[in-house]
Amino acid sequence: MANLDQNNWFTEISDRDGSAFSLRITKKLDEQQSPFQKVEMYETTDFGNLMIIDGCTMVSSRENFFYHEMISHPALLAHPNPKNVVIIGGGDCGTLREVLKHPSVESVTQIDIDEVVTQMSLKYFPELCESNQDPRATVMFDDGIKYMREAAPESIDVVIVDGTDPVGPGEGLFNHAFYTSCLTALRPGGILIQQSESPLMHMPLLVEMRDAMTEVGFVDLQTLPFPQPIYPSGLWSVTLARKSEAFAGFRENDANTLAQSTEYYNAGIHYGALATPNYMKRAFEKK
């Protein structure tokens, strides 16, 4: 639920979390109702442009790097040589931009169901779309669940699930059937990484996700928390699941090189995010 009051404060009220988050708005820039969801754009006083989907904050100019860097770089650098990458969702194209910073990557296919999100991003977040024309990139507007179900077995190195909350178009990205499709499509040692909500607000969902990933056959998991200022609680997470072998560190030298072109991610951040807080450990171990 969202509200724009008479003093131009946009407030996202999260009933499920008993919390709210506000940003001061200068003006409304755009609004489109797609076949799937309502997409709005605002100009804020301090966070640049702001994208709202179905009343929920999604992306702002000021802080999007936290999310885009953490949903891409940890998985790509935990893989020894990622060549073929698939992004499910990611319509704002910020994750695509980050993936294409990796020289080993030969192809990236992004599949988002809603073209309106990308149209809005091209207009209001051009910096996120600056790599869309990279010859290694393919941008598709289709059903990502169907795409993964039909993907050739053992054809992908890394799958990045950059979806919305598990409601509406994003609901089918959080279940056994989808994880099974990802597992089948990944090569041995391949990695699935998915945004996994707030480890403070949404622990039951996070535990359910991890259990489902293990139950379909992924052999090792890592959940990395990171700041996310415009999402509920300000603390978010990504969860990595590896096929056929355990995680064995990450390419630290490449992480340090990459840090020349990132705002948040570096080797130290990666190491720090791997240090799981005690309350999360207890939740993951409890059955």
Side-chain angles (χ1 to χ4, degrees):
M1 182 169 63
N3 178 51
L4 186 61
D5 69 19
Q6 62 183 0
N7 296 314
N8 288 328
W9 283 88
F10 174 88
T11 300
E12 178 188 342
I13 300 171
S14 180
D15 287 328
R16 67 169 176 165
D17 306 319
S19 67
F21 176 76
S22 297
L23 286 172
R24 187 168 48 201
I25 300 301
T26 305
K27 61 183 176 181
K28 190 169 191 175
L29 297 169
D30 210 339
E31 175 183 324
Q32 289 192 49
Q33 176 66 53
S34 81
F36 307 99
Q37 54 205 354
K38 182 180 180 181
V39 185
E40 299 171 89
M41 290 295 312
Y42 291 90
E43 179 185 272
T44 72
T45 57
D46 294 271
F47 277 71
N49 289 343
L50 171 69
M51 179 183 287
I52 305 292
I53 296 182
D54 284 344
C56 297
T57 56
M58 286 293 134
V59 184
S60 81
S61 305
R62 185 175 184 179
E63 51 62 61
N64 70 79
F65 59 83
F66 290 108
Y67 180 92
H68 291 135
E69 292 178 12
M70 290 302 288
I71 203 171
S72 54
H73 302 315
L76 288 165
L77 287 161
H79 193 287
N81 188 27
K83 294 182 178 180
N84 305 110
V85 179
V86 167
I87 302 169
I88 304 299
D92 61 53
C93 302
T95 299
L96 177 65
R97 181 187 68 173
E98 296 304 313
V99 170
L100 288 166
K101 292 178 180 178
H102 292 256
S104 70
V105 170
E106 296 175 356
S107 69
V108 191
T109 303
Q110 176 179 289
I111 309 98
D112 194 292
I113 201 167
D114 195 347
E115 188 171 0
V116 168
V117 175
T118 300
Q119 291 171 345
M120 288 283 209
S121 193
L122 283 164
K123 187 173 182 180
Y124 298 107
F125 298 111
E127 69 278 9
L128 299 183
C129 302
E130 62 186 17
S131 299
N132 286 23
Q133 302 305 315
D134 189 299
R136 298 172 292 166
T138 300
V139 177
M140 300 172 56
F141 302 104
D142 206 343
D143 182 349
I145 297 169
K146 177 176 178 286
Y147 182 91
M148 291 308 304
R149 188 169 61 242
E150 296 176 352
E154 299 189 1
S155 61
I156 303 167
D157 295 310
V158 175
V159 175
I160 300 173
V161 184
D162 181 3
T164 55
D165 294 338
V167 294
E171 186 174 6
L173 302 174
F174 293 77
N175 60 45
H176 289 71
F178 177 70
Y179 296 145
T180 298
S181 296
C182 293
L183 184 73
T184 300
L186 285 166
R187 296 189 176 101
I191 297 172
L192 165 67
I193 183 169
Q194 181 171 23
Q195 75 88 3
S196 47
E197 305 283 297
S198 170
L200 182 63
M201 297 289 204
H202 312 132
M203 183 58 77
L205 173 62
L206 178 48
V207 170
E208 185 179 332
M209 284 179 57
R210 287 173 56 96
D211 287 348
M213 289 171 170
T214 300
E215 287 162 8
V216 304
F218 285 98
V219 302
D220 199 12
L221 304 178
Q222 294 177 340
T223 294
L224 281 57
F226 61 94
Q228 186 56 33
I230 69 170
Y231 289 0
S233 82
L235 180 69
W236 218 246
S237 69
V238 290
T239 293
L240 294 77
R242 193 161 196 189
K243 178 177 180 176
S244 74
E245 57 191 70
F247 286 99
F250 63 98
R251 291 179 281 115
E252 183 175 352
N253 288 339
D254 290 339
N256 288 327
T257 300
L258 180 69
Q260 299 172 28
S261 64
T262 58
E263 298 297 322
Y264 181 70
Y265 179 85
N266 57 40
I269 290 293
H270 198 145
Y271 277 118
L274 289 171
T276 306
N278 292 331
Y279 81 97
M280 292 174 59
K281 286 183 181 180
R282 294 184 187 113
F284 298 160
E285 292 166 359
K286 185 178 180 181
K287 296 293 181 182

